[in-house]
Amino acid sequence: MNPVRVGLLGLGTVGGGTANVLSRNQEEIARRAGRGIVISHAAARETSFPDVDTSGMEIGTDAFAVVDQPEVDIIVELIGGYEPARELVLRAIANGKHVVTANKALIAKHGNEIFAAAREKGVMVAFEAAVAGGIPIIKALREGLAANRIEWAAGIINGTGNFILTEMRDKGRDFADVLAEAQRLGYAEADPTFDVEGIDAAHKLTIIASIAFGIPLQFEKAYTEGIGHITREDVAFAEELGYRIKHLGVTRRTEKGVELRVHPTLIPGRRLIANVDGVMNAVLVKGDAVGPTLYYGAGAGREPTASAVVADLVDVTRTLTTDPGNRVPHLAFQPDALSDLPVLPMEEVETACYLRMQVADRPGVMADVTRILGDEGISIEALLQKEPVGGASDVSVIMLTHRVVEGRMNESIKRIEALDTVTGQVTRIRMETLDSN
Ligand code: HSE
């Protein structure tokens, strides 16, 4: 049987990795897919490709020419970003080609439109590499856990952010220095604020939530908070209290709606996921039948991401002749069976919190703070006061609270910050126990 022909858009880090993995493992891949898979055409900005096996490829600069190439069966989109990726993918679909993409931004923001177009044309759009790099989390959620009612998922789904937090904790390195290294290693997004402000993680979490709960993709409703305000002191205080700070994406089904949030989070140090360090990613999923399951691996990088791209190519190749109605639905649930459960506004989400504040070292200050929390019905679980450093007149106070609705905590923080005995802003870091409930 003739090999399946692939048109590759982008021959950068992941594109080069995809070409090399396909070439190096071509025999095993053909044995799995039932026929060979070759990259016949590619579009790239670069003109030289050191360390990439480009044999047999016709390489040009025009991505639209590849998408319009009649010989190509599957388009692999590795350009990234919203545009022109959206236009290219929609044109590939209109041309009757299947699509494999690693583009989480594209799927999170335009996935509903893209999947509708793909359904109409009877083609597949596969996106395993869009979430957590090489970890087959889409496959696991969509197929492996299909028996379950998924209750929640929580993940470290941005390698760059996790790498930064880990290096800051272990080596006391500066934020900017670690970020520059992540960029050099090819982990960071083209715009690294997407990594550190949680936008990249929110793209991925949006996709996880849709597949977990069978809801349309709603990236614009995700709550996103970055790691820029986390200090080395917070990391050390958290450790002292038995916790680790991780930049977590959390999605949970509640009676009122779906939580969809990315923020720094204190998690108990004894959880396996608390020990996921460096550029590694992990996603913890709780299903009602299976209980908690944990998926761990490289969330970024050349060949780990290529591993997911090539797995999608094998999947698409295997199902080329399947009746479109019998394929696994893009968002795991049949398109006419998606739920309209709303995404909850952040003010309605309930979490426990870590609070750090600088207060004057005077009688009655703590009473003022605890009175405000008491007025708002917020119960304190632990309290830590540090002695003044070098004769300073104020001290750091750290509190862990019981679970509280976000709106109430916002109100309390506003009132605490208004006290003239409190200096600067209160740092609030949400907490998750990630136990099996
Ligand atoms: N910038 C992303 C990360 C790459 O650091 O995880 C993989 O999506």
Side-chain angles (χ1 to χ4, degrees):
M1 197 183 279
N2 286 337
V4 170
R5 279 157 312 211
V6 173
L8 182 62
L9 312 183
L11 251 174
T13 305
V14 181
T18 300
N20 288 350
V21 171
L22 265 179
S23 149
R24 189 173 73 234
N25 297 340
Q26 56 183 299
E27 278 172 35
E28 294 251 335
I29 288 167
R31 283 170 57 211
R32 288 192 163 108
R35 58 198 278 204
I37 301 174
V38 297
I39 301 174
S40 58
H41 295 77
R45 276 176 314 193
E46 305 83 356
T47 49
S48 76
F49 309 96
D51 308 322
V52 180
D53 183 353
T54 56
S55 48
M57 284 186 214
E58 196 178 309
I59 304 176
T61 51
D62 184 357
F64 285 95
V66 174
V67 160
D68 290 340
Q69 179 54 246
E71 285 171 30
V72 163
D73 307 297
I74 307 172
I75 290 292
V76 175
E77 185 276 306
L78 300 175
I79 291 176
Y82 300 127
E83 294 290 353
R86 175 180 157 275
E87 206 186 329
L88 285 162
V89 163
L90 287 173
R91 187 139 132 196
I93 292 169
N95 287 342
K97 300 188 193 308
H98 304 278
V99 173
V100 172
T101 178
N103 191 335
K104 54 260 161 157
L106 178 73
I107 297 299
K109 196 152 173 209
H110 299 298
N112 298 323
E113 177 192 14
I114 288 169
F115 298 147
R119 271 198 310 280
E120 202 152 297
K121 288 297 277 189
V123 296
M124 282 171 278
V125 177
F127 50 94
E128 181 65 70
V131 181
I135 307 173
I137 184 64
I138 301 295
K139 191 92 174 167
L141 262 175
R142 194 161 58 181
E143 295 166 56
L145 299 181
N148 288 262
R149 187 171 196 274
I150 305 294
E151 295 170 4
W152 54 263
I156 296 170
I157 42 180
N158 182 268
T160 302
N162 201 42
F163 182 55
I164 291 172
L165 284 175
T166 306
E167 291 286 301
M168 283 173 74
R169 187 194 71 216
D170 288 352
K171 303 187 189 147
R173 288 177 66 189
D174 281 343
F175 184 89
D177 169 39
V178 190
L179 178 58
E181 186 181 343
Q183 284 177 291
R184 248 192 340 270
L185 294 170
Y187 301 146
E189 295 304 297
D191 177 353
T193 58
F194 271 39
D195 296 299
V196 294
E197 286 173 7
I199 298 161
D200 176 73
H203 286 142
K204 296 166 183 167
L205 186 70
T206 298
I207 299 171
I208 290 176
S210 288
I211 291 178
F213 307 126
I215 55 173
L217 294 148
Q218 295 165 79
F219 167 66
E220 63 292 345
K221 298 200 180 139
Y223 172 81
T224 307
E225 188 180 298
I227 54 174
H229 62 293
I230 302 297
T231 64
R232 268 187 259 159
E233 287 73 32
D234 290 319
V235 173
F237 293 147
E239 295 274 343
E240 202 171 317
L241 291 158
Y243 292 85
R244 285 267 162 97
I245 300 178
K246 290 290 178 190
H247 202 189
L248 224 56
V250 181
T251 185
R252 187 187 306 272
R253 189 203 309 246
T254 74
E255 272 172 29
K256 288 189 292 175
V258 171
E259 297 177 8
L260 192 60
R261 49 192 169 94
V262 175
H263 48 70
T265 313
L266 258 76
I267 55 180
R270 63 183 179 280
R271 297 266 176 269
L272 274 178
I273 194 170
N275 298 287
V276 171
D277 286 334
V279 77
M280 302 308 276
N281 280 197
V283 184
L284 186 53
V285 180
K286 170 75 191 321
D288 68 338
V290 72
T293 53
L294 180 67
Y295 308 86
Y296 169 84
R302 191 177 178 94
E303 292 213 353
T305 312
S307 162
V309 170
V310 174
D312 272 349
L313 280 171
V314 171
D315 240 8
V316 171
T317 303
R318 281 176 181 149
T319 48
L320 278 176
T321 51
T322 319
D323 173 354
N326 291 333
R327 291 179 189 147
V328 180
H330 292 111
L331 290 178
F333 292 72
Q334 297 299 336
D336 58 0
L338 290 186
S339 147
D340 57 5
L341 196 62
V343 172
L344 278 181
M346 195 59 191
E347 286 68 30
E348 292 180 29
V349 168
E350 195 183 272
T351 63
C353 286
Y354 159 104
L355 302 177
R356 176 175 55 80
M357 60 201 82
Q358 283 297 114
V359 304
D361 190 14
R362 293 209 300 263
V365 174
M366 198 71 94
D368 290 342
V369 172
T370 53
R371 188 173 315 111
I372 291 173
L373 293 172
D375 287 353
E376 298 290 342
I378 301 173
S379 172
I380 299 167
E381 186 171 290
L383 201 146
L384 192 65
Q385 180 181 326
K386 292 297 182 182
E387 61 277 3
V389 183
S393 58
D394 58 4
V395 292
S396 290
V397 170
I398 295 95
M399 291 175 179
L400 304 186
T401 74
H402 282 279
R403 291 172 67 82
V404 53
V405 170
E406 183 90 1
R408 272 202 170 177
M409 183 52 90
N410 293 345
E411 195 49 41
S412 307
I413 290 176
K414 228 188 286 167
R415 287 178 60 195
I416 292 171
E417 287 175 345
L419 292 172
D420 56 12
T421 46
V422 172
T423 314
Q425 290 187 324
V426 174
T427 297
R428 172 245 313 266
I429 309 178
R430 297 164 189 88
M431 300 173 62
E432 291 291 338
T433 56
L434 303 180
D435 53 20
S436 49
N437 300 319

